[in-house]
Amino acid sequence: MTSTKITQPTLTFEVRRRAPELIPPSGPTPHEFKKLSDIDDQEGLRFQIPLILFYPNSPATARLQDPARVIKEAVGKALVWYYPLAGRLREKEGRKLVVECTGDGIMFIEADADVSLDHFGEAPHPPFPLDELLFDVPGSSSVLDSPLILIQVTRLKCGGFILALRLNHTMADAQGLVQFMNAMAELARGANVPSILPVWERHHFAARDPPRVTCEHREYEEIDDLKGTIIPLDDMVHKSFFFGPTEIAALRRLIPPHMKRSSTFEVLTACLWRCRTIALQPDPEEMVRIICVVNSRYLSKYPPLPVGFYGNAFALPVAVTTAGQVSNNPLGYALELVKKAKGAVTQEYMHSLADLMVLKGRPHFTVVRSFAVSDVTRAGFVDLDYGWGPPVYGGPAKGGVGAIPGVSSFYIPFENGKGEKGIVVPLCLPGFAMERFVKELDGLLGQTIEDSNAGSGSGSGSSVFISSAL
Protein backbone atom coordinates (compact mmCIF):
# COMPACT_ATOMS: atom_id res chain seq x y z
CA MET A 1 0.00 0.00 0.00
CA THR A 2 1.15 3.55 -0.66
CA SER A 3 0.86 6.28 1.95
CA THR A 4 0.51 10.04 1.62
CA LYS A 5 -0.17 12.70 4.24
CA ILE A 6 -2.22 15.75 3.40
CA THR A 7 -3.13 18.86 5.34
CA GLN A 8 -6.39 20.77 5.12
CA PRO A 9 -6.83 24.12 6.93
CA THR A 10 -8.13 22.19 9.96
CA LEU A 11 -7.50 18.55 9.03
CA THR A 12 -4.41 16.39 8.64
CA PHE A 13 -4.71 12.68 7.94
CA GLU A 14 -3.02 9.74 6.30
CA VAL A 15 -4.44 7.59 3.51
CA ARG A 16 -3.09 4.14 2.72
CA ARG A 17 -4.02 2.81 -0.70
CA ARG A 18 -3.78 -0.64 -2.19
CA ALA A 19 -2.61 -0.94 -5.78
CA PRO A 20 -5.36 0.10 -8.22
CA GLU A 21 -7.04 -2.73 -10.11
CA LEU A 22 -9.38 -3.08 -13.04
CA ILE A 23 -12.82 -4.53 -12.26
CA PRO A 24 -14.31 -6.17 -15.37
CA PRO A 25 -17.91 -7.32 -15.76
CA SER A 26 -18.52 -10.42 -13.65
CA GLY A 27 -20.17 -12.20 -16.59
CA PRO A 28 -19.81 -12.36 -20.37
CA THR A 29 -20.54 -9.20 -22.37
CA PRO A 30 -20.50 -8.52 -26.13
CA HIS A 31 -17.53 -6.98 -27.90
CA GLU A 32 -18.95 -4.24 -30.09
CA PHE A 33 -18.65 -0.56 -30.98
CA LYS A 34 -21.33 1.88 -29.84
CA LYS A 35 -21.61 5.45 -31.09
CA LEU A 36 -22.06 8.22 -28.58
CA SER A 37 -24.67 10.83 -29.38
CA ASP A 38 -23.78 14.11 -31.04
CA ILE A 39 -24.48 15.81 -27.71
CA ASP A 40 -22.33 13.35 -25.73
CA ASP A 41 -19.13 13.98 -27.65
CA GLN A 42 -19.00 17.77 -27.67
CA GLU A 43 -15.71 19.27 -26.50
CA GLY A 44 -17.21 20.70 -23.31
CA LEU A 45 -17.97 17.19 -21.99
CA ARG A 46 -14.57 15.68 -22.74
CA PHE A 47 -13.34 15.70 -19.17
CA GLN A 48 -13.50 13.69 -15.96
CA ILE A 49 -16.05 14.82 -13.36
CA PRO A 50 -15.52 13.87 -9.68
CA LEU A 51 -18.23 12.99 -7.18
CA ILE A 52 -18.06 11.94 -3.54
CA LEU A 53 -20.33 10.31 -0.96
CA PHE A 54 -19.78 10.08 2.82
CA TYR A 55 -21.32 7.12 4.68
CA PRO A 56 -21.45 6.96 8.49
CA ASN A 57 -21.17 3.87 10.65
CA SER A 58 -24.07 2.84 12.90
CA PRO A 59 -24.96 -0.11 15.16
CA ALA A 60 -27.46 -1.26 12.57
CA THR A 61 -24.66 -1.83 10.04
CA ALA A 62 -22.37 -3.79 12.33
CA ARG A 63 -23.39 -7.06 10.65
CA LEU A 64 -22.36 -5.79 7.24
CA GLN A 65 -19.17 -6.73 5.53
CA ASP A 66 -16.22 -4.68 4.29
CA PRO A 67 -17.66 -1.84 2.16
CA ALA A 68 -14.77 -1.96 -0.30
CA ARG A 69 -15.37 -5.64 -1.03
CA VAL A 70 -19.15 -5.25 -1.21
CA ILE A 71 -18.94 -2.31 -3.61
CA LYS A 72 -16.23 -3.94 -5.73
CA GLU A 73 -18.40 -7.03 -6.22
CA ALA A 74 -21.40 -4.83 -7.01
CA VAL A 75 -19.39 -2.98 -9.66
CA GLY A 76 -18.59 -6.20 -11.49
CA LYS A 77 -22.24 -7.28 -11.40
CA ALA A 78 -23.53 -3.88 -12.56
CA LEU A 79 -21.09 -3.83 -15.47
CA VAL A 80 -22.72 -6.94 -16.92
CA TRP A 81 -25.75 -4.72 -17.55
CA TYR A 82 -23.83 -1.48 -18.18
CA TYR A 83 -21.06 -3.12 -20.17
CA PRO A 84 -20.23 -0.04 -22.33
CA LEU A 85 -18.87 1.59 -19.13
CA ALA A 86 -16.30 -1.22 -18.98
CA GLY A 87 -15.01 -0.27 -22.44
CA ARG A 88 -12.75 2.42 -23.86
CA LEU A 89 -13.46 5.51 -25.96
CA ARG A 90 -12.06 5.76 -29.48
CA GLU A 91 -12.18 8.77 -31.80
CA LYS A 92 -13.18 8.31 -35.41
CA GLU A 93 -13.36 10.57 -38.44
CA GLY A 94 -14.88 13.98 -37.76
CA ARG A 95 -13.94 13.73 -34.07
CA LYS A 96 -16.79 11.28 -33.59
CA LEU A 97 -16.54 9.30 -30.36
CA VAL A 98 -17.45 5.64 -30.10
CA VAL A 99 -17.03 3.30 -27.17
CA GLU A 100 -15.37 -0.01 -27.88
CA CYS A 101 -16.97 -2.49 -25.50
CA THR A 102 -13.77 -4.30 -24.59
CA GLY A 103 -14.80 -5.53 -21.15
CA ASP A 104 -11.52 -4.22 -19.74
CA GLY A 105 -13.37 -2.80 -16.74
CA ILE A 106 -13.30 0.27 -14.56
CA MET A 107 -10.49 1.22 -12.19
CA PHE A 108 -10.95 0.56 -8.47
CA ILE A 109 -8.89 1.63 -5.46
CA GLU A 110 -9.26 0.30 -1.94
CA ALA A 111 -7.95 2.58 0.80
CA ASP A 112 -7.92 3.28 4.55
CA ALA A 113 -7.66 6.65 6.28
CA ASP A 114 -6.66 7.31 9.90
CA VAL A 115 -9.51 9.74 10.36
CA SER A 116 -13.18 9.56 11.36
CA LEU A 117 -16.17 10.99 9.54
CA ASP A 118 -16.73 13.66 12.17
CA HIS A 119 -13.30 15.12 11.38
CA PHE A 120 -14.79 16.34 8.09
CA GLY A 121 -17.19 18.54 10.04
CA GLU A 122 -20.65 18.25 11.45
CA ALA A 123 -22.03 18.28 7.91
CA PRO A 124 -19.41 17.45 5.21
CA HIS A 125 -19.46 19.79 2.22
CA PRO A 126 -17.10 20.93 -0.55
CA PRO A 127 -14.28 21.58 -0.93
CA PHE A 128 -12.84 18.15 -0.08
CA PRO A 129 -9.23 16.84 -0.03
CA LEU A 130 -9.87 15.13 -3.32
CA ASP A 131 -6.28 14.27 -4.27
CA GLU A 132 -6.21 11.51 -1.66
CA LEU A 133 -9.86 10.52 -1.50
CA LEU A 134 -9.90 10.04 -5.30
CA PHE A 135 -6.33 9.32 -6.31
CA ASP A 136 -5.47 10.19 -9.90
CA VAL A 137 -3.82 6.99 -11.03
CA PRO A 138 -1.12 7.91 -13.57
CA GLY A 139 -2.36 7.33 -17.10
CA SER A 140 -6.00 6.90 -16.06
CA SER A 141 -7.42 10.35 -16.69
CA SER A 142 -7.27 10.62 -20.48
CA VAL A 143 -10.60 10.92 -22.25
CA LEU A 144 -9.58 8.39 -24.91
CA ASP A 145 -8.29 4.85 -24.36
CA SER A 146 -8.61 5.01 -20.55
CA PRO A 147 -11.01 3.60 -17.95
CA LEU A 148 -14.33 5.43 -18.17
CA ILE A 149 -14.88 5.34 -14.40
CA LEU A 150 -12.50 5.38 -11.43
CA ILE A 151 -13.80 4.49 -7.96
CA GLN A 152 -12.02 4.78 -4.61
CA VAL A 153 -13.55 3.38 -1.43
CA THR A 154 -11.80 4.73 1.67
CA ARG A 155 -12.59 3.11 5.01
CA LEU A 156 -12.58 5.41 8.04
CA LYS A 157 -11.58 4.76 11.65
CA CYS A 158 -15.16 5.19 12.84
CA GLY A 159 -16.45 2.37 10.66
CA GLY A 160 -17.85 4.69 8.04
CA PHE A 161 -16.43 5.06 4.57
CA ILE A 162 -16.11 7.44 1.63
CA LEU A 163 -17.08 6.47 -1.90
CA ALA A 164 -15.46 8.75 -4.48
CA LEU A 165 -16.02 8.34 -8.19
CA ARG A 166 -14.67 9.97 -11.35
CA LEU A 167 -16.69 9.71 -14.57
CA ASN A 168 -15.81 10.42 -18.17
CA HIS A 169 -18.61 12.94 -18.71
CA THR A 170 -19.14 11.98 -22.36
CA MET A 171 -20.72 8.74 -21.15
CA ALA A 172 -23.47 10.05 -18.89
CA ASP A 173 -24.99 13.06 -17.18
CA ALA A 174 -25.84 13.26 -13.47
CA GLN A 175 -29.11 11.38 -13.83
CA GLY A 176 -27.50 8.68 -15.95
CA LEU A 177 -24.64 8.25 -13.49
CA VAL A 178 -27.05 7.96 -10.56
CA GLN A 179 -28.92 5.28 -12.49
CA PHE A 180 -25.71 3.24 -12.78
CA MET A 181 -24.72 3.86 -9.16
CA ASN A 182 -28.20 2.87 -8.01
CA ALA A 183 -27.87 -0.38 -9.95
CA MET A 184 -24.64 -0.97 -8.03
CA ALA A 185 -26.43 -0.18 -4.77
CA GLU A 186 -29.33 -2.55 -5.48
CA LEU A 187 -26.95 -5.38 -6.39
CA ALA A 188 -24.86 -4.66 -3.29
CA ARG A 189 -28.00 -5.06 -1.18
CA GLY A 190 -28.75 -8.45 -2.70
CA ALA A 191 -30.83 -7.83 -5.83
CA ASN A 192 -30.24 -10.10 -8.80
CA VAL A 193 -31.29 -7.58 -11.46
CA PRO A 194 -31.30 -3.74 -11.42
CA SER A 195 -34.79 -2.30 -11.06
CA ILE A 196 -34.13 -0.07 -14.10
CA LEU A 197 -32.42 -1.78 -17.02
CA PRO A 198 -30.01 0.41 -19.02
CA VAL A 199 -30.94 1.66 -22.47
CA TRP A 200 -28.26 2.94 -24.87
CA GLU A 201 -30.27 4.44 -27.79
CA ARG A 202 -27.99 7.44 -28.25
CA HIS A 203 -29.62 8.01 -31.64
CA HIS A 204 -32.23 10.13 -29.85
CA PHE A 205 -29.63 12.91 -29.86
CA ALA A 206 -28.05 12.24 -33.24
CA ALA A 207 -27.79 14.95 -35.89
CA ARG A 208 -30.35 15.01 -38.68
CA ASP A 209 -29.49 14.25 -42.30
CA PRO A 210 -28.72 16.79 -43.53
CA PRO A 211 -27.89 18.70 -40.34
CA ARG A 212 -29.44 22.17 -40.06
CA VAL A 213 -29.12 24.70 -37.27
CA THR A 214 -32.56 26.21 -36.74
CA CYS A 215 -32.19 27.82 -33.32
CA GLU A 216 -29.86 30.39 -31.80
CA HIS A 217 -27.03 28.81 -29.80
CA ARG A 218 -25.02 31.71 -28.44
CA GLU A 219 -23.49 29.39 -25.85
CA TYR A 220 -21.19 28.16 -28.62
CA GLU A 221 -20.20 31.51 -30.06
CA GLU A 222 -16.52 31.95 -30.82
CA ILE A 223 -15.33 34.96 -28.84
CA ASP A 224 -11.85 36.44 -28.66
CA ASP A 225 -10.84 37.18 -25.07
CA LEU A 226 -9.09 40.43 -25.98
CA LYS A 227 -8.74 41.57 -22.37
CA GLY A 228 -7.30 38.32 -21.06
CA THR A 229 -8.87 35.56 -19.01
CA ILE A 230 -10.99 36.48 -16.00
CA ILE A 231 -9.38 33.73 -13.94
CA PRO A 232 -5.81 34.21 -12.62
CA LEU A 233 -5.00 30.56 -11.96
CA ASP A 234 -2.36 31.34 -9.33
CA ASP A 235 -4.88 32.91 -6.90
CA MET A 236 -7.96 30.72 -6.70
CA VAL A 237 -10.14 30.42 -3.60
CA HIS A 238 -12.84 27.80 -3.00
CA LYS A 239 -15.79 28.58 -0.75
CA SER A 240 -19.12 26.93 -0.11
CA PHE A 241 -22.35 28.79 0.60
CA PHE A 242 -25.53 27.46 2.19
CA PHE A 243 -28.97 28.65 1.10
CA GLY A 244 -31.72 27.45 3.41
CA PRO A 245 -35.39 28.49 3.53
CA THR A 246 -34.50 31.80 5.20
CA GLU A 247 -31.98 32.79 2.54
CA ILE A 248 -34.22 31.75 -0.36
CA ALA A 249 -37.13 33.69 1.15
CA ALA A 250 -34.87 36.72 1.48
CA LEU A 251 -33.97 36.54 -2.21
CA ARG A 252 -37.61 36.19 -3.20
CA ARG A 253 -38.38 39.47 -1.43
CA LEU A 254 -36.05 41.17 -3.91
CA ILE A 255 -37.88 40.15 -7.07
CA PRO A 256 -40.87 41.91 -8.70
CA PRO A 257 -44.39 40.69 -7.86
CA HIS A 258 -45.05 39.43 -11.40
CA MET A 259 -42.04 37.06 -11.10
CA LYS A 260 -42.94 35.52 -7.73
CA ARG A 261 -43.66 32.14 -9.36
CA SER A 262 -40.03 31.81 -10.45
CA SER A 263 -38.32 28.58 -9.40
CA THR A 264 -35.68 28.45 -6.69
CA PHE A 265 -33.13 27.58 -9.38
CA GLU A 266 -34.00 30.69 -11.36
CA VAL A 267 -33.93 33.04 -8.36
CA LEU A 268 -30.68 31.64 -6.98
CA THR A 269 -29.02 31.67 -10.40
CA ALA A 270 -29.94 35.32 -10.97
CA CYS A 271 -28.56 36.22 -7.54
CA LEU A 272 -25.24 34.41 -7.99
CA TRP A 273 -24.75 35.75 -11.52
CA ARG A 274 -25.29 39.32 -10.35
CA CYS A 275 -23.04 38.99 -7.26
CA ARG A 276 -20.33 37.21 -9.23
CA THR A 277 -20.33 39.84 -11.99
CA ILE A 278 -20.03 42.65 -9.42
CA ALA A 279 -17.19 40.77 -7.72
CA LEU A 280 -15.16 40.26 -10.90
CA GLN A 281 -15.60 43.92 -11.97
CA PRO A 282 -15.37 43.52 -15.74
CA ASP A 283 -15.68 46.54 -17.99
CA PRO A 284 -19.36 47.69 -17.79
CA GLU A 285 -19.71 47.41 -21.57
CA GLU A 286 -18.29 43.90 -21.74
CA MET A 287 -20.67 41.05 -22.47
CA VAL A 288 -21.22 38.51 -19.68
CA ARG A 289 -23.06 35.19 -19.83
CA ILE A 290 -25.00 32.85 -17.57
CA ILE A 291 -25.29 29.26 -18.81
CA CYS A 292 -28.07 27.11 -17.35
CA VAL A 293 -27.85 23.33 -17.56
CA VAL A 294 -31.36 22.27 -18.65
CA ASN A 295 -32.37 18.61 -18.52
CA SER A 296 -34.37 17.87 -21.68
CA ARG A 297 -35.85 14.67 -20.23
CA TYR A 298 -38.72 16.62 -18.75
CA LEU A 299 -39.63 19.00 -21.54
CA SER A 300 -43.41 18.92 -21.75
CA LYS A 301 -43.45 18.77 -25.55
CA TYR A 302 -40.36 16.57 -25.98
CA PRO A 303 -40.96 12.89 -26.79
CA PRO A 304 -40.04 11.04 -23.61
CA LEU A 305 -36.75 9.22 -23.65
CA PRO A 306 -37.01 5.49 -22.93
CA VAL A 307 -36.82 4.52 -19.27
CA GLY A 308 -33.24 3.49 -18.59
CA PHE A 309 -31.56 5.95 -20.98
CA TYR A 310 -28.34 7.04 -19.28
CA GLY A 311 -26.63 9.29 -21.81
CA ASN A 312 -26.25 13.06 -21.68
CA ALA A 313 -29.65 14.66 -22.23
CA PHE A 314 -29.16 18.32 -21.43
CA ALA A 315 -28.66 21.64 -23.18
CA LEU A 316 -26.68 24.71 -22.13
CA PRO A 317 -28.86 27.72 -23.01
CA VAL A 318 -27.26 31.07 -22.31
CA ALA A 319 -28.36 34.57 -21.37
CA VAL A 320 -26.12 37.39 -22.61
CA THR A 321 -26.00 41.02 -21.55
CA THR A 322 -23.47 43.63 -20.45
CA ALA A 323 -21.73 43.53 -17.10
CA GLY A 324 -23.09 46.97 -16.32
CA GLN A 325 -26.69 45.90 -16.92
CA VAL A 326 -26.38 42.88 -14.60
CA SER A 327 -24.54 44.83 -11.90
CA ASN A 328 -26.60 48.01 -11.84
CA ASN A 329 -30.13 46.74 -12.38
CA PRO A 330 -32.30 45.15 -9.68
CA LEU A 331 -32.28 41.36 -9.32
CA GLY A 332 -35.39 41.06 -11.49
CA TYR A 333 -33.38 42.04 -14.58
CA ALA A 334 -31.05 39.05 -14.30
CA LEU A 335 -33.95 36.80 -13.31
CA GLU A 336 -35.89 37.65 -16.46
CA LEU A 337 -32.88 36.76 -18.62
CA VAL A 338 -32.39 33.45 -16.81
CA LYS A 339 -36.04 32.49 -17.28
CA LYS A 340 -35.92 33.37 -20.97
CA ALA A 341 -32.77 31.28 -21.52
CA LYS A 342 -34.28 28.24 -19.83
CA GLY A 343 -37.48 28.59 -21.82
CA ALA A 344 -35.59 28.44 -25.11
CA VAL A 345 -34.96 24.71 -24.77
CA THR A 346 -37.51 22.81 -26.87
CA GLN A 347 -37.56 19.65 -28.94
CA GLU A 348 -36.39 21.62 -31.96
CA TYR A 349 -33.64 23.23 -29.87
CA MET A 350 -32.22 19.78 -29.00
CA HIS A 351 -32.27 18.68 -32.65
CA SER A 352 -30.63 21.95 -33.68
CA LEU A 353 -27.98 21.50 -30.99
CA ALA A 354 -27.00 18.04 -32.26
CA ASP A 355 -26.83 19.41 -35.81
CA LEU A 356 -24.61 22.30 -34.72
CA MET A 357 -22.16 19.87 -33.12
CA VAL A 358 -21.66 18.07 -36.42
CA LEU A 359 -21.45 21.23 -38.53
CA LYS A 360 -19.09 23.12 -36.19
CA GLY A 361 -16.71 20.30 -35.24
CA ARG A 362 -18.17 19.59 -31.76
CA PRO A 363 -17.09 22.89 -30.15
CA HIS A 364 -16.68 23.81 -26.49
CA PHE A 365 -19.24 26.14 -24.99
CA THR A 366 -18.01 29.72 -24.62
CA VAL A 367 -16.10 30.27 -21.36
CA VAL A 368 -15.19 33.94 -21.86
CA ARG A 369 -17.05 35.92 -19.18
CA SER A 370 -19.32 32.90 -18.64
CA PHE A 371 -20.73 31.28 -15.52
CA ALA A 372 -22.45 27.89 -15.82
CA VAL A 373 -24.71 26.42 -13.14
CA SER A 374 -26.12 22.91 -12.81
CA ASP A 375 -28.82 21.83 -10.36
CA VAL A 376 -28.25 18.30 -9.01
CA THR A 377 -30.58 18.64 -6.02
CA ARG A 378 -32.95 16.06 -7.57
CA ALA A 379 -30.39 13.80 -9.24
CA GLY A 380 -30.58 11.26 -6.41
CA PHE A 381 -26.99 11.10 -5.08
CA VAL A 382 -28.26 11.47 -1.50
CA ASP A 383 -30.47 8.38 -1.89
CA LEU A 384 -27.76 5.88 -2.87
CA ASP A 385 -27.78 3.09 -0.28
CA TYR A 386 -25.16 0.33 -0.57
CA GLY A 387 -26.38 -1.37 2.60
CA TRP A 388 -25.14 1.23 5.05
CA GLY A 389 -28.04 3.64 4.64
CA PRO A 390 -28.00 6.93 2.70
CA PRO A 391 -24.92 9.18 2.65
CA VAL A 392 -24.62 12.28 4.83
CA TYR A 393 -23.28 14.03 1.74
CA GLY A 394 -23.59 12.96 -1.87
CA GLY A 395 -22.79 15.00 -4.95
CA PRO A 396 -20.06 16.85 -6.83
CA ALA A 397 -16.74 17.03 -5.02
CA LYS A 398 -15.91 20.62 -5.95
CA GLY A 399 -17.26 23.78 -7.55
CA GLY A 400 -15.46 24.21 -10.86
CA VAL A 401 -15.13 21.28 -13.23
CA GLY A 402 -13.19 20.71 -16.41
CA ALA A 403 -9.96 22.34 -17.39
CA ILE A 404 -10.97 25.91 -16.53
CA PRO A 405 -11.68 26.59 -12.83
CA GLY A 406 -14.22 29.13 -11.73
CA VAL A 407 -16.49 28.83 -14.77
CA SER A 408 -19.07 26.42 -13.34
CA SER A 409 -20.79 25.43 -10.14
CA PHE A 410 -23.49 23.10 -8.77
CA TYR A 411 -26.56 23.34 -6.59
CA ILE A 412 -26.28 20.40 -4.20
CA PRO A 413 -28.86 19.15 -1.67
CA PHE A 414 -27.54 19.70 1.84
CA GLU A 415 -28.54 19.50 5.49
CA ASN A 416 -26.52 21.71 7.80
CA GLY A 417 -25.44 20.74 11.30
CA LYS A 418 -28.66 22.15 12.76
CA GLY A 419 -30.99 19.94 10.77
CA GLU A 420 -31.95 22.65 8.28
CA LYS A 421 -32.27 21.44 4.69
CA GLY A 422 -31.30 23.59 1.75
CA ILE A 423 -28.77 23.95 -1.04
CA VAL A 424 -25.00 24.18 -0.80
CA VAL A 425 -23.20 25.98 -3.64
CA PRO A 426 -19.43 25.55 -4.00
CA LEU A 427 -17.76 28.42 -5.85
CA CYS A 428 -14.25 29.01 -7.12
CA LEU A 429 -13.05 32.57 -7.74
CA PRO A 430 -9.84 34.59 -7.65
CA GLY A 431 -9.05 35.72 -4.11
CA PHE A 432 -9.75 39.40 -4.76
CA ALA A 433 -13.10 38.59 -6.34
CA MET A 434 -14.15 36.13 -3.65
CA GLU A 435 -13.85 38.81 -0.96
CA ARG A 436 -16.12 41.13 -2.94
CA PHE A 437 -18.53 38.28 -3.71
CA VAL A 438 -18.99 37.47 -0.02
CA LYS A 439 -19.50 41.14 0.82
CA GLU A 440 -22.04 41.63 -1.97
CA LEU A 441 -24.00 38.50 -1.10
CA ASP A 442 -24.02 39.34 2.61
CA GLY A 443 -25.33 42.79 1.82
CA LEU A 444 -28.02 41.40 -0.42
CA LEU A 445 -29.21 38.88 2.16
CA GLY A 446 -28.49 40.66 5.40
CA GLN A 447 -30.81 43.60 4.90
CA THR A 448 -33.81 41.52 3.83
CA ILE A 449 -33.31 38.98 6.61
CA GLU A 450 -33.02 41.70 9.25
CA ASP A 451 -35.98 43.61 7.82
CA SER A 452 -38.16 40.50 8.05
CA ASN A 453 -36.94 39.70 11.57
CA ALA A 454 -36.75 36.12 10.38
CA GLY A 455 -33.37 35.27 11.78
CA SER A 456 -31.38 32.34 10.45
CA GLY A 457 -29.51 29.37 11.74
CA SER A 458 -26.44 30.89 10.17
CA GLY A 459 -27.11 34.44 11.28
CA SER A 460 -26.82 37.71 9.39
CA GLY A 461 -23.53 39.02 8.05
CA SER A 462 -21.61 36.19 6.35
CA SER A 463 -24.99 34.53 6.58
CA VAL A 464 -24.39 31.78 4.06
CA PHE A 465 -20.60 31.32 4.01
CA ILE A 466 -19.73 27.93 5.49
CA SER A 467 -16.23 26.93 4.41
CA SER A 468 -13.21 27.77 2.33
CA ALA A 469 -9.92 26.38 1.14
CA LEU A 470 -7.04 27.85 -0.79
Side-chain angles (χ1 to χ4, degrees), residues 26 101 184 205 212 272 275 281 311 325 333 338 396 398 419 426 445:
S26 60
C101 301
M184 288 169 46
F205 294 109
R212 53 192 184 277
L272 295 178
C275 291
Q281 295 186 335
Q325 291 277 29
Y333 175 82
V338 168
K398 59 181 181 178
L445 289 171

Side-chain angles (χ1 to χ4, degrees), residues 233-253:
L233 299 181
D234 58 346
D235 179 30
M236 299 304 293
V237 175
H238 296 261
K239 290 185 186 290
S240 285
F241 299 84
F242 175 71
F243 294 87
T246 298
E247 288 77 24
I248 297 301
L251 293 179
R252 287 189 175 279
R253 283 191 288 273

Side-chain angles (χ1 to χ4, degrees), residues 57 94 101 119 166 196 203 209 240 255-256 265 278 292 338 368 370 385 406 425 432 461:
N57 187 22
C101 301
H119 287 89
R166 191 183 69 193
I196 299 177
H203 65 273
D209 186 17
S240 285
I255 63 178
F265 172 87
I278 293 171
C292 303
V338 168
V368 177
S370 294
D385 179 0
V425 182
F432 71 88

Side-chain angles (χ1 to χ4, degrees), residues 22-31 72-88 100-107 180 187:
L22 288 174
I23 308 299
S26 60
T29 57
H31 182 277
K72 181 162 61 174
E73 290 180 358
V75 167
K77 294 177 181 178
L79 288 176
V80 174
W81 304 95
Y82 289 83
Y83 63 89
L85 295 178
R88 300 293 183 265
E100 181 180 0
C101 301
T102 61
D104 288 340
I106 71 172
M107 187 159 285
F180 168 68
L187 296 168

Side-chain angles (χ1 to χ4, degrees), residues 55-70:
Y55 289 90
N57 187 22
S58 70
T61 61
R63 63 178 176 80
L64 296 174
Q65 303 175 54
D66 171 27
R69 187 180 70 81
V70 170

